[in-house]
Amino acid sequence: MVAIIGDPFLLSNYDITLRDSPTASPRQCLHVTHERSSGSKAKEGFATVTVHGDGVHIFNVSDLHIAGSYTLGPSTTFAGPSVSRIVGENETRFRRIYSTIEQSSGVRKEDHGRTVWMWDEAQAFESSGTAPEKKSSIIASHRVSRLYASEDLSDRVVLLSPAGDVTVMDIDLVTQKGEWKPRNKSPLLASYMFPRVSATFLPVQPVAPLGTLVLLLSSRGVIQVCVLLLHEDEITTALNESVIVDGTVIEASCSTSGYISCLQSDGHWRSFELGSTSPGSLSLLPISSPLRLAGLSFIENTSEATALHHDTRAVSILSLRSSHVLLCGVMQSQDLVLLLWDLRYSVVLASHRFPTPANLSTSKGVSLDLVPALDTLVLLSVSSGLLDKSSQSCSAVFVVPLTAPATSTISNAMGRASSSARWLAKPNALPNDHTQNASLDHDRRDLLDKLRSAIRQNRPEAADSAFFEWLENHSGSTTTVDSQLGGPLFGHEFVREILDIVIPSSSKPAFTLYPAKTVHYLLANRVVSAGMLSRSLLGLFAERNDWHATGLTLKNVLDLPEVDLVKLLRSVRKDNRTSGALDMQIDAKCSDVPTFSSILAACVSYPTSDAALRLTMREQLNDPESIVPILTILDDWLAELSSHETGFILDANAAGNEPSVVTPAEPCPRKAEIPPLDKVLAFLRAILDATFVTLLQHTRSHALLRRLSSHLQSELKIIDELQSLHGPLELFAKAQEKTSSEKQRPPAQLEDWRRRRKLAHERAAMGVGLYQVEELVL
């Protein structure tokens, strides 16, 4: 399954007056929860929005229409989010709403934050927006900052305090069913309620609980993780452990599989996992080293900035499934960005960037809150910071559609390292640039020092001379094995260090000279991979007009991400608009700018993943002016390929009754090499799938689409006719393949039939039969 984050769409927005509560912060002025309803027509459930100084509003997420609106007056403030649920059966079904009140005209001062209001709405889906006619009120034994009253809890309501105190009551808030208090009073960072069947991290229980409550408390660098099991009349503790962290934790999340992540104010992101080390017991295990984020505005070093961002909460995380966590943050450009991380492999599977709503002020930051909803969508609340005590806070609620894989797999993470690098902080360099890997020997470290010195002096020729001198002393007669040490001549870390030194950083001008011969040699010997540098290889070479290196990269680097290919096409297309160029050849000079068709041919021939290529094209090729030139060249290629007559050449060496070697005739010579037909069709299918709607809105592309359709129809007709010959000619094809393979084998390898039978018996006795290796590309 491919990870996708769709365009967020607005559910509602509010202007909240904070004049009556100067101590309130933006994160306390608007709360959002989501409830599912099994007997309702709203398949995507309901969103309950609690607005400071206004009331409670309930939206049908399926059609974005309001399902209930309850005004509680401008003097009413809330201590936490309200929740709603459908109670009763058949004709007696009605909506019940629970709200925890911080202040109101009828609430005593000593009851602030401990008062819970409950009211029923008989016409659950047709409320008029007025105040509730009749509501019940109770006073809890502790402050209440969170309520849980979902249908999964049967007839129970859970009251949660800011310090982690838990009280379970019946659905009418009359009888207390259970109570639990943490051993150490610490601020509650996050809480998650999982239904009885969803918490897969729990060991087998003698009696299945009604629900599992996970509490994450934080105080002075210590994270306390509490896992509580809610039964009919009691609360039992499955886990109560503490973890020491070096820093201030501002966000935490937990998934149904027990994957816990803690985000610190300095950008460090730590992960833990709940699991069973022995039958019937639960423990907390660290599963990976922490990663450090970069490029987001909440990452600060000063305590004042940290306090400000903690108040506005300019970042929010939400665990989905497995080790997948959704992060919403504010970029340095003040745009909002959604990142779907797989923390097990420290990669971003999907991202989506969108502007901050125009009515929200970003001068004092924004407050973000991701709210769990369904597997295919989450809710996001965005609130602006305060300019002064008498100002207003603008808030908006969005629905974010997304698709996330069910489990974390290495196949989904492969190829994501380069695109994830921009969101990860680089490790701090050691003094005097001594960044050599300790596993490198003295000669290799000496070469790196020489290369570094030459680059600092802007002498690329000296760097090339040092490299090839070292190569001559170590390679001997081979280019892959060290003649002195006997190991590989170019290890991964060694090549990465060379590239990091010889290719200038992005802060230097693109026309800065660099030792191109060294880079060309490494590319030609296939020892370079795309993830060795934080930036795109194709982008770096295109900036420096090193088209020879670009050709070698497309030919010899096997792990280029699809986004780099599409960006290269856009870059070359832009260059070709203003200047003419010659066709690119592998041995062309570095200053030769290739034609667009030659670059396109190389990209079409490069092996790619269809799904990833379509997603990249949908993001990068959003302008008809950049799509039509590609389709025009593809149309010319299809026309030329379909115009060739099907000719055959008989093998003159065939004699006797041996089958003749039949091969397609060589097509007529052409200026640019045209990729094989299957590659052209695959690339054409991907670009049409990704951009067809855009092309339909572009009138000038209609004639081109009709030409493509006519060419494809003719090819399909030929394929249908040739398919009827598949069966009759299969025996001849197998015989021809066998004859050709035997001719290509050296005479020493041709054994008689006795030798072959003996080898077959020996292999069977060893238990090693025929096998095949398959490559799965997702």
Side-chain angles (χ1 to χ4, degrees), residues 649-663 735-736 739-740 743:
I649 300 176
L650 298 180
D651 188 2
N653 297 325
N657 296 327
E658 294 182 359
S660 301
V661 178
V662 182
T663 58
Q736 173 60 41
T739 302
S740 300
K743 285 185 176 181

mmCIF file of all heavy atoms in Angstrom, residues 649-663 735-736 739-740 743:
data_model
loop_
_atom_site.group_PDB
_atom_site.id
_atom_site.type_symbol
_atom_site.label_atom_id
_atom_site.label_comp_id
_atom_site.label_asym_id
_atom_site.label_seq_id
_atom_site.Cartn_x
_atom_site.Cartn_y
_atom_site.Cartn_z
ATOM 1 N N ILE A 649 15.679 -11.579 -40.095
ATOM 2 C CA ILE A 649 16.962 -11.977 -40.670
ATOM 3 C C ILE A 649 17.206 -13.427 -40.303
ATOM 4 O O ILE A 649 17.136 -13.801 -39.138
ATOM 5 C CB ILE A 649 18.103 -11.087 -40.137
ATOM 6 C CG1 ILE A 649 17.838 -9.628 -40.509
ATOM 7 C CG2 ILE A 649 19.444 -11.555 -40.678
ATOM 8 C CD1 ILE A 649 18.865 -8.688 -39.940
ATOM 9 N N LEU A 650 17.486 -14.242 -41.283
ATOM 10 C CA LEU A 650 17.782 -15.653 -41.032
ATOM 11 C C LEU A 650 19.259 -15.806 -40.735
ATOM 12 O O LEU A 650 20.109 -15.185 -41.369
ATOM 13 C CB LEU A 650 17.385 -16.501 -42.241
ATOM 14 C CG LEU A 650 15.888 -16.480 -42.602
ATOM 15 C CD1 LEU A 650 15.652 -17.350 -43.818
ATOM 16 C CD2 LEU A 650 15.038 -16.933 -41.431
ATOM 17 N N ASP A 651 19.581 -16.646 -39.766
ATOM 18 C CA ASP A 651 20.958 -16.878 -39.367
ATOM 19 C C ASP A 651 21.660 -17.673 -40.451
ATOM 20 O O ASP A 651 21.273 -18.805 -40.773
ATOM 21 C CB ASP A 651 20.995 -17.623 -38.033
ATOM 22 C CG ASP A 651 22.408 -17.717 -37.488
ATOM 23 O OD1 ASP A 651 23.313 -17.167 -38.132
ATOM 24 O OD2 ASP A 651 22.569 -18.332 -36.417
ATOM 25 N N ALA A 652 22.709 -17.093 -41.026
ATOM 26 C CA ALA A 652 23.431 -17.780 -42.109
ATOM 27 C C ALA A 652 24.213 -18.968 -41.604
ATOM 28 O O ALA A 652 24.578 -19.855 -42.384
ATOM 29 C CB ALA A 652 24.369 -16.798 -42.802
ATOM 30 N N ASN A 653 24.503 -19.047 -40.306
ATOM 31 C CA ASN A 653 25.276 -20.148 -39.755
ATOM 32 C C ASN A 653 24.430 -21.381 -39.503
ATOM 33 O O ASN A 653 24.950 -22.443 -39.186
ATOM 34 C CB ASN A 653 25.941 -19.728 -38.442
ATOM 35 C CG ASN A 653 26.928 -18.601 -38.669
ATOM 36 O OD1 ASN A 653 27.593 -18.555 -39.708
ATOM 37 N ND2 ASN A 653 27.016 -17.682 -37.704
ATOM 38 N N ALA A 654 23.099 -21.219 -39.601
ATOM 39 C CA ALA A 654 22.254 -22.381 -39.368
ATOM 40 C C ALA A 654 22.410 -23.367 -40.503
ATOM 41 O O ALA A 654 22.532 -23.021 -41.666
ATOM 42 C CB ALA A 654 20.800 -21.948 -39.245
ATOM 43 N N ALA A 655 22.440 -24.652 -40.194
ATOM 44 C CA ALA A 655 22.621 -25.684 -41.203
ATOM 45 C C ALA A 655 21.790 -26.904 -40.829
ATOM 46 O O ALA A 655 21.439 -27.125 -39.680
ATOM 47 C CB ALA A 655 24.092 -26.083 -41.320
ATOM 48 N N GLY A 656 21.556 -27.700 -41.850
ATOM 49 C CA GLY A 656 20.850 -28.954 -41.620
ATOM 50 C C GLY A 656 19.423 -28.682 -41.177
ATOM 51 O O GLY A 656 18.736 -27.809 -41.667
ATOM 52 N N ASN A 657 19.004 -29.516 -40.256
ATOM 53 C CA ASN A 657 17.646 -29.397 -39.750
ATOM 54 C C ASN A 657 17.542 -28.492 -38.524
ATOM 55 O O ASN A 657 16.508 -28.422 -37.876
ATOM 56 C CB ASN A 657 17.106 -30.788 -39.375
ATOM 57 C CG ASN A 657 16.995 -31.673 -40.608
ATOM 58 O OD1 ASN A 657 16.710 -31.182 -41.700
ATOM 59 N ND2 ASN A 657 17.206 -32.971 -40.420
ATOM 60 N N GLU A 658 18.658 -27.863 -38.164
ATOM 61 C CA GLU A 658 18.615 -26.982 -37.005
ATOM 62 C C GLU A 658 17.709 -25.788 -37.284
ATOM 63 O O GLU A 658 17.667 -25.270 -38.397
ATOM 64 C CB GLU A 658 20.019 -26.470 -36.671
ATOM 65 C CG GLU A 658 20.952 -27.558 -36.205
ATOM 66 C CD GLU A 658 22.300 -27.001 -35.832
ATOM 67 O OE1 GLU A 658 22.478 -25.773 -35.966
ATOM 68 O OE2 GLU A 658 23.166 -27.778 -35.396
ATOM 69 N N PRO A 659 16.966 -25.352 -36.292
ATOM 70 C CA PRO A 659 16.099 -24.191 -36.507
ATOM 71 C C PRO A 659 16.912 -22.943 -36.790
ATOM 72 O O PRO A 659 17.998 -22.766 -36.266
ATOM 73 C CB PRO A 659 15.326 -24.072 -35.182
ATOM 74 C CG PRO A 659 16.191 -24.763 -34.173
ATOM 75 C CD PRO A 659 16.898 -25.857 -34.924
ATOM 76 N N SER A 660 16.378 -22.129 -37.643
ATOM 77 C CA SER A 660 17.062 -20.893 -38.012
ATOM 78 C C SER A 660 16.892 -19.852 -36.922
ATOM 79 O O SER A 660 15.873 -19.784 -36.249
ATOM 80 C CB SER A 660 16.505 -20.334 -39.331
ATOM 81 O OG SER A 660 16.669 -21.286 -40.359
ATOM 82 N N VAL A 661 17.928 -19.042 -36.778
ATOM 83 C CA VAL A 661 17.860 -17.941 -35.823
ATOM 84 C C VAL A 661 17.077 -16.803 -36.457
ATOM 85 O O VAL A 661 17.459 -16.290 -37.511
ATOM 86 C CB VAL A 661 19.273 -17.477 -35.434
ATOM 87 C CG1 VAL A 661 19.180 -16.298 -34.475
ATOM 88 C CG2 VAL A 661 20.043 -18.626 -34.826
ATOM 89 N N VAL A 662 15.983 -16.421 -35.854
ATOM 90 C CA VAL A 662 15.128 -15.374 -36.389
ATOM 91 C C VAL A 662 15.161 -14.197 -35.422
ATOM 92 O O VAL A 662 14.822 -14.337 -34.265
ATOM 93 C CB VAL A 662 13.679 -15.877 -36.562
ATOM 94 C CG1 VAL A 662 12.813 -14.781 -37.170
ATOM 95 C CG2 VAL A 662 13.675 -17.122 -37.431
ATOM 96 N N THR A 663 15.586 -13.041 -35.882
ATOM 97 C CA THR A 663 15.652 -11.822 -35.059
ATOM 98 C C THR A 663 15.010 -10.684 -35.818
ATOM 99 O O THR A 663 15.032 -10.661 -37.058
ATOM 100 C CB THR A 663 17.108 -11.449 -34.735
ATOM 101 O OG1 THR A 663 17.816 -11.265 -35.967
ATOM 102 C CG2 THR A 663 17.777 -12.538 -33.916
ATOM 103 N N ALA A 735 12.935 -24.525 -28.805
ATOM 104 C CA ALA A 735 14.026 -25.223 -29.486
ATOM 105 C C ALA A 735 15.113 -24.253 -29.920
ATOM 106 O O ALA A 735 16.312 -24.545 -29.812
ATOM 107 C CB ALA A 735 13.473 -25.989 -30.689
ATOM 108 N N GLN A 736 14.688 -23.102 -30.427
ATOM 109 C CA GLN A 736 15.663 -22.102 -30.843
ATOM 110 C C GLN A 736 16.481 -21.590 -29.652
ATOM 111 O O GLN A 736 17.696 -21.410 -29.738
ATOM 112 C CB GLN A 736 14.936 -20.935 -31.529
ATOM 113 C CG GLN A 736 15.831 -19.765 -31.855
ATOM 114 C CD GLN A 736 16.963 -20.158 -32.782
ATOM 115 O OE1 GLN A 736 16.737 -20.920 -33.724
ATOM 116 N NE2 GLN A 736 18.158 -19.692 -32.517
ATOM 117 N N THR A 739 19.084 -24.173 -28.693
ATOM 118 C CA THR A 739 20.189 -24.233 -29.643
ATOM 119 C C THR A 739 21.117 -23.038 -29.474
ATOM 120 O O THR A 739 22.347 -23.170 -29.494
ATOM 121 C CB THR A 739 19.636 -24.280 -31.071
ATOM 122 O OG1 THR A 739 18.772 -25.403 -31.207
ATOM 123 C CG2 THR A 739 20.759 -24.382 -32.085
ATOM 124 N N SER A 740 20.534 -21.871 -29.284
ATOM 125 C CA SER A 740 21.353 -20.668 -29.135
ATOM 126 C C SER A 740 22.199 -20.718 -27.868
ATOM 127 O O SER A 740 23.372 -20.331 -27.877
ATOM 128 C CB SER A 740 20.457 -19.427 -29.110
ATOM 129 O OG SER A 740 19.720 -19.318 -30.311
ATOM 130 N N LYS A 743 25.217 -23.022 -28.336
ATOM 131 C CA LYS A 743 26.251 -22.466 -29.207
ATOM 132 C C LYS A 743 27.101 -21.431 -28.476
ATOM 133 O O LYS A 743 28.289 -21.270 -28.766
ATOM 134 C CB LYS A 743 25.599 -21.816 -30.434
ATOM 135 C CG LYS A 743 25.095 -22.823 -31.458
ATOM 136 C CD LYS A 743 24.585 -22.094 -32.688
ATOM 137 C CE LYS A 743 24.172 -23.093 -33.764
ATOM 138 N NZ LYS A 743 23.691 -22.395 -34.978
#
